């Protein structure tokens, strides 16, 4: 019998989280991304949003319902949903859920097994807990933004991938799964204080370890992994586009020299920072002799660790990306939807169907109304 993996290219009839019930108080950024990931793995999610609010990004694979949380009848209905759920996810500022009578203490008084996940930027405590912020602010104070700095230049924000989704959403999902595992042993739920600033700090573990060992400098752009080393950097080509070079180990660096038609003697002493300027000049001059796509073809299937820098419209045509089946054509205009090969419900269940299976009463329409959802973008 062949055992399928999460990354198996075949679609599975039911995801590994099939049967997991999640109530999502719909917000922005990391919490929707985390719930999208849970839904892609098969979780059943009822997403609640404010009446008349615009549908945010990252809600493509689940249905939503409009709920006026200022209405007591609506809140009572929400309590019924929570009573049938395994997980609650909310991304409001600290204190909002408590003022609604839906805070952890209110809920756990009746539902002790619930995993109550709170997703914020700064966390539930600390001097900045009640202030506004975005991805850029959170990664700035953790030192992570400083790592994306060339020597003598301004730090470059990595879009909102690092804080919102790396330090936020992935930390959220991991914490929820860990809490569910613990509940399986103890029967007890948990309150999860998930903060982007915490998760992003955790992502810097290797750099902190290297720094303690004397292998990482606080001077930007002087280390092996922050564009200090000439064999771990991005270079312009003859056509003005770019290739990324990550030939850190000696065998890979020798393969790179071969692809670039450079003298193998350049590998001697390549770990010595004093030799980096000369080596950088040689690599840069060589790369500028061909176009990006010429280099991509020349380096393909080699160990040179040279890759073309593609934009979002080009990525689906890359042979490796295409083979992994991670981009789903969304329409005829060249738009794509990233997906998990083992998941992604193209037609998510309606909220009314979920409520029926959860044995939750259907509310009166003046308090609650189903909303359209995105099934593919």
């Amino acid at each position: 019998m062949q055992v399928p993996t999460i990354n198996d290219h075949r679609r599975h009839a039911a995801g590994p989280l099939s049967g997991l019930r999640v109530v999502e108080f719909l917000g922005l950024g990391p919490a929707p991304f985390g719930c999208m990931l849970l839904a892609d793995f098969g979780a059943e999610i009822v997403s609640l949003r404010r009446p008349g609010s615009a549908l945010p990004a990252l809600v493509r694979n689940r249905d939503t319902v409009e709920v006026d949380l200022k209405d007591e009848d609506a809140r009572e209905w929400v309590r019924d949903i929570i009573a049938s759920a395994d997980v609650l996810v909310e991304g409001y500022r600290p204190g909002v859920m408590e003022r609604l009578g839906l805070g952890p203490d209110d809920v756990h008084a009746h539902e002790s097994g619930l995993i109550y996940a709170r997703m914020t930027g700064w966390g539930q405590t600390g001097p900045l807990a009640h202030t506004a912020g975005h991805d850029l602010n959170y990664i700035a104070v953790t030192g992570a933004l400083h790592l994306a700095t060339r020597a003598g230049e301004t730090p470059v924000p990595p879009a909102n991938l690092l804080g919102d989704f790396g330090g936020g959403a992935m930390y959220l999902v991991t914490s929820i799964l860990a809490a569910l595992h613990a509940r399986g042993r103890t029967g007890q739920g948990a309150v999860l204080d998930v903060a982007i600033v915490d998760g992003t700090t955790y992502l810097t573990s290797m750099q902190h370890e290297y720094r303690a060992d004397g292998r990482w400098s606080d001077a930007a752009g002087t280390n092996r992994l922050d564009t200090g080393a000439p064999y771990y950097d991005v270079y312009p080509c003859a056509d003005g586009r770019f290739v990324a070079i990550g030939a850190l180990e000696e065998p890979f660096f020798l393969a790179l020299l071969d692809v670039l038609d450079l003298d193998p003697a350049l590998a001697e002493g390549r770990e010595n920072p004093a030799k980096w300027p000369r080596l950088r000049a040689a690599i840069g001059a060589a790369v500028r002799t061909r176009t990006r796509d010429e280099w991509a073809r020349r380096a393909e299937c080699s160990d040179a660790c040279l890759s073309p820098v593609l934009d979002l419209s080009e990525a689906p045509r890359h042979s490796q990306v295409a083979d992994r089946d991670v981009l789903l054509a969304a329409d005829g205009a060249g738009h794509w939807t990233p997906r998990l090969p083992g998941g992604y419900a193209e037609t998510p269940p309606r909220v009314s169907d979920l409520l029926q299976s959860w044995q939750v009463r259907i509310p009166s329409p003046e308090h609650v109304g189903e909303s359209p959802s995105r099934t593919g973008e």
Side-chain angles (χ1 to χ4, degrees):
M1 174 181 176
Q2 183 179 5
V3 179
T5 65
I6 294 301
N7 290 324
D8 198 321
H9 286 212
R10 298 170 300 168
R11 288 183 183 273
H12 305 305
L17 295 183
S18 179
L20 180 69
R21 297 177 175 183
V22 180
V23 177
E24 173 189 15
F25 290 79
L26 194 57
L28 300 173
F33 189 100
C35 288
M36 180 185 75
L37 182 57
L38 293 173
D40 277 348
F41 278 131
E44 300 175 359
I45 300 183
V46 174
S47 295
L48 311 177
R49 65 188 183 99
R50 290 191 296 272
S53 60
L55 197 65
L58 306 173
V59 195
R60 64 174 186 235
N61 59 352
R62 54 201 187 278
D63 206 3
T64 68
V65 59
E66 295 183 352
V67 179
D68 182 4
L69 293 177
K70 296 179 181 179
D71 182 278
E72 177 54 36
D73 288 337
R75 287 200 301 273
E76 190 59 36
W77 176 73
V78 169
R79 292 187 185 97
D80 290 344
I81 301 178
I82 294 172
S84 297
D86 299 294
V87 179
L88 181 155
V89 177
E90 63 98 355
Y92 300 139
R93 290 200 197 192
V96 171
M97 291 292 279
E98 283 81 356
R99 290 194 293 272
L100 292 170
L102 298 172
D105 290 342
D106 303 302
V107 170
H108 277 146
H110 306 285
E111 311 301 333
S112 61
L114 183 74
I115 308 302
Y116 195 115
R118 321 193 77 172
M119 180 73 255
T120 60
W122 300 118
Q124 299 295 314
T125 62
L128 299 182
H130 289 82
T131 66
H134 281 293
D135 179 294
L136 193 61
N137 306 111
Y138 311 133
I139 68 173
V141 302
T142 64
L145 180 58
H146 184 265
L147 301 178
T149 309
R150 293 179 180 277
E153 297 186 15
T154 302
V156 178
N160 65 331
L161 299 175
L162 178 56
D164 278 350
F165 306 134
M170 296 303 180
Y171 178 34
L172 171 67
V173 171
T174 303
S175 299
I176 289 172
L177 296 180
L180 287 168
H181 179 70
R183 190 184 71 174
R185 298 194 316 271
T186 67
Q188 292 298 307
V191 179
L192 307 178
D193 178 2
V194 183
I196 296 174
V197 71
D198 297 349
T200 304
T201 298
Y202 193 73
L203 291 177
T204 65
S205 294
M206 188 178 75
Q207 282 73 26
H208 276 289
E209 183 176 327
Y210 280 2
R211 186 175 181 273
D213 292 342
R215 291 184 288 165
W216 193 274
S217 169
D218 289 330
T222 64
N223 303 284
R224 293 180 83 227
L225 300 177
D226 65 355
T227 73
Y231 36 82
Y232 199 85
D233 206 346
V234 178
Y235 289 88
C237 305
D239 56 355
R241 293 190 284 185
F242 300 89
V243 293
I245 291 175
L248 289 171
E249 293 80 8
E250 184 172 2
F252 306 152
F253 184 68
L254 288 170
L256 174 68
L257 295 178
D258 181 60
V259 166
L260 298 179
D261 289 326
L262 290 173
D263 187 349
L266 286 171
E268 297 177 10
R270 69 185 185 91
E271 297 287 356
N272 183 357
K275 296 190 176 184
W276 285 356
R278 176 171 173 264
L279 189 52
R280 181 179 298 279
I283 294 174
V287 171
R288 283 192 295 273
T289 63
R290 298 177 187 266
T291 68
R292 182 199 67 179
D293 293 344
E294 287 174 334
W295 284 122
R297 288 191 294 270
R298 189 175 174 88
E300 191 173 24
C301 298
S302 78
D303 281 343
C305 300
L306 183 153
S307 304
V309 177
L310 306 178
D311 63 30
L312 293 180
S313 68
E314 296 173 305
R317 297 192 295 273
H318 188 274
S319 59
Q320 185 65 27
V321 176
D323 181 80
R324 297 302 297 167
D325 193 24
V326 291
L327 285 169
L328 186 70
D331 55 32
H335 298 146
W336 301 80
T337 298
R339 60 179 289 273
L340 292 176
Y344 185 64
E346 295 183 32
T347 305
R350 302 291 294 176
V351 167
S352 55
D353 294 333
L354 288 179
L355 294 179
Q356 201 167 33
S357 67
W358 292 17
Q359 297 184 328
V360 174
R361 62 187 171 90
I362 305 296
S364 55
E366 64 265 25
H367 300 304
V368 176
E370 281 194 73
S371 315
S373 62
R374 298 190 183 105
T375 58
E377 298 180 287

